[in-house]
Amino acid sequence: MRIAIIDLGTNTFNLLIADKDENGNFSTVFKNKIPVKLGEGGIDKGLIAPEPYQRGVKALENHIKTINEYKVDKHRAFATSAIRSTSNGHLFVKEVDELLGLKIEVIDGSKEAELIYYGVKEAVPFEETFDLIIDIGGGSTEFIIANKKGISWAKSYQLGVSRLKELFKPSDPISDKEIKKIEAYFESNLKDLFEELSKTPCLKLIGSSGSFDTLVDMISHQYNDKKRRKKKYCDIKLEEYDWAQKHIIKCNLSERIATPGMIEMRADVIVISVIFINYILKKTNIEIINRSKYALKEGALNHYF
């Protein structure tokens, strides 16, 4: 059986097509992500602006075309923060259904976190000890405290990097004053996360997809370790991360785009991503960083099929 998952994120609309064999094992046939930046110019006001709205529709037209070309048997589409939190998100869902015949399931933050965990679990060998999973999205960020037995605690926060960029409109390169302002915003919004981490300490941070993929790509180029990019999970040494975050923060947009391994569509928001990661590292005793290539779409594939 051939299955497709469409993950309608805030920054990208992602497509995964996989074959399922008679033993229930999946093999990837096709993967693609199309930049849509739904949050651009409106997410801080609670709406999808006209241009990103149309980019989103066009991206789904392309994904449906691909699904038909690959003769997919079953498919499901999931929408997350940008669509569930905007006043015209429901109109987008309705229009896509009418134009393309695609039924979009708008999932809440709890379900999003759950599916991310299922995806990460397919990539990362969890143990009895608890780890902190972070999925930094464009519209929201999910924090999940989990081990091999399941989720101990999870929460989705309206702290996606596109949302924060629209809210703070930082200069380029960002200033120390602006960084402190963003950190103060984190401080006021993440109190319950740190209360949970005081009860269930985590020494490992697992970053799933998105910004963490870009960090691994940058580090792989810088440290001449190209094999790491292809692994479904890998370590990011603290000294490697320290080089990457310092480089990202000091550079302007054109310098970041020119950095080997940088994906152009992430170059404008990755500054806020590393400020976020830096803040979490400062506030915790985390000693290990892993990257999981798998996240929501892989979790949905295994959970629903």
Side-chain angles (χ1 to χ4, degrees):
M1 181 167 60
R2 182 159 288 182
I3 298 156
I5 300 290
I6 303 176
D7 169 15
L8 286 75
T10 301
N11 284 327
T12 58
F13 283 2
N14 309 302
L15 172 64
L16 170 64
I17 300 176
D19 284 341
K20 181 181 178 181
D21 66 23
E22 62 273 13
N23 297 315
N25 299 313
F26 291 100
S27 57
T28 299
V29 175
F30 180 86
K31 288 175 79 170
N32 188 28
K33 55 179 65 179
I34 300 176
V36 292
K37 295 199 171 184
L38 284 190
E40 192 173 73
I43 198 168
D44 58 323
K45 305 175 189 73
L47 58 86
I48 304 170
E51 284 190 24
Y53 189 105
Q54 291 307 317
R55 285 199 297 264
V57 173
K58 183 66 177 173
L60 291 176
E61 285 178 358
N62 289 333
H63 282 333
I64 290 295
K65 183 181 177 185
T66 302
I67 284 172
N68 292 333
E69 287 172 355
Y70 277 83
K71 296 180 169 56
V72 168
D73 299 303
K74 293 184 179 180
H75 65 269
R76 290 183 78 155
F78 301 91
T80 55
S81 180
I83 290 174
R84 69 173 174 249
S85 68
T86 48
S87 60
N88 57 342
H90 70 288
L91 297 175
F92 181 88
V93 170
K94 184 181 178 184
E95 182 174 338
V96 167
D97 186 12
E98 292 171 350
L99 285 175
L100 305 175
L102 179 66
K103 304 286 185 188
I104 298 171
E105 301 171 53
V106 182
I107 58 174
D108 63 21
S110 297
K111 177 57 70 174
E112 184 175 0
E114 182 185 359
L115 294 177
I116 289 165
Y117 168 72
Y118 291 141
V120 171
K121 196 178 180 186
E122 289 296 314
V124 178
F126 281 94
E127 299 176 2
E128 294 283 347
T129 52
F130 287 96
D131 300 325
L132 177 64
I133 302 168
I134 303 178
D135 190 294
I136 301 175
S140 65
T141 293
E142 284 66 48
F143 288 92
I144 304 144
I145 299 173
N147 66 4
K148 68 179 185 179
K149 293 179 180 177
I151 296 172
S152 169
W153 179 90
K155 187 171 178 180
S156 177
Y157 295 86
Q158 296 282 71
L159 295 173
V161 288
S162 296
R163 194 181 296 276
L164 293 169
K165 181 175 177 286
E166 292 293 323
L167 180 63
F168 287 99
K169 295 178 172 57
S171 54
D172 186 41
I174 196 167
S175 68
D176 289 342
K177 185 178 179 181
E178 288 168 323
I179 292 172
K180 287 183 171 63
K181 194 173 179 182
I182 293 169
E183 287 181 335
Y185 192 71
F186 291 149
E187 188 75 31
S188 65
N189 281 276
L190 293 172
K191 289 184 172 64
D192 50 354
L193 168 66
F194 296 113
E195 285 174 11
E196 289 297 326
L197 286 171
S198 68
K199 299 174 198 170
T200 313
C202 299
L203 297 180
K204 184 192 290 182
L205 182 160
I206 303 170
S208 61
S209 64
S211 298
F212 288 91
D213 286 342
T214 302
L215 287 168
V216 168
D217 285 351
M218 287 177 60
I219 289 165
S220 296
H221 280 278
Q222 177 69 14
Y223 291 88
N224 195 26
D225 183 10
K226 304 292 171 56
K227 291 180 181 177
R228 196 183 331 189
R229 299 167 62 193
K230 298 179 181 178
K231 293 179 179 177
K232 61 183 179 181
Y233 85 96
C234 65
D235 292 335
I236 301 174
K237 295 175 184 175
L238 290 178
E239 59 268 27
E240 294 171 338
Y241 172 74
D242 189 52
W243 165 79
Q245 64 88 12
K246 284 177 179 173
H247 177 80
I248 287 165
I249 287 173
K250 76 178 182 183
C251 288
N252 62 31
L253 179 60
S254 60
E255 291 168 335
R256 291 194 298 276
I257 290 171
T259 302
M262 177 63 68
I263 300 171
E264 186 171 347
M265 69 177 178
R266 297 203 187 278
D268 60 337
V269 292
I270 199 166
V271 175
I272 294 174
S273 294
V274 297
I275 292 167
F276 209 159
I277 298 166
N278 291 350
Y279 177 76
I280 298 300
L281 293 176
K282 280 193 288 186
K283 293 282 289 186
T284 63
N285 294 316
I286 285 169
E287 299 173 352
I288 299 168
I289 304 176
N290 282 175
R291 184 283 309 264
S292 167
K293 237 182 178 181
Y294 295 174
L296 187 146
K297 58 187 182 296
E298 289 82 8
L301 183 71
N302 283 279
H303 182 61
Y304 289 108
F305 295 102

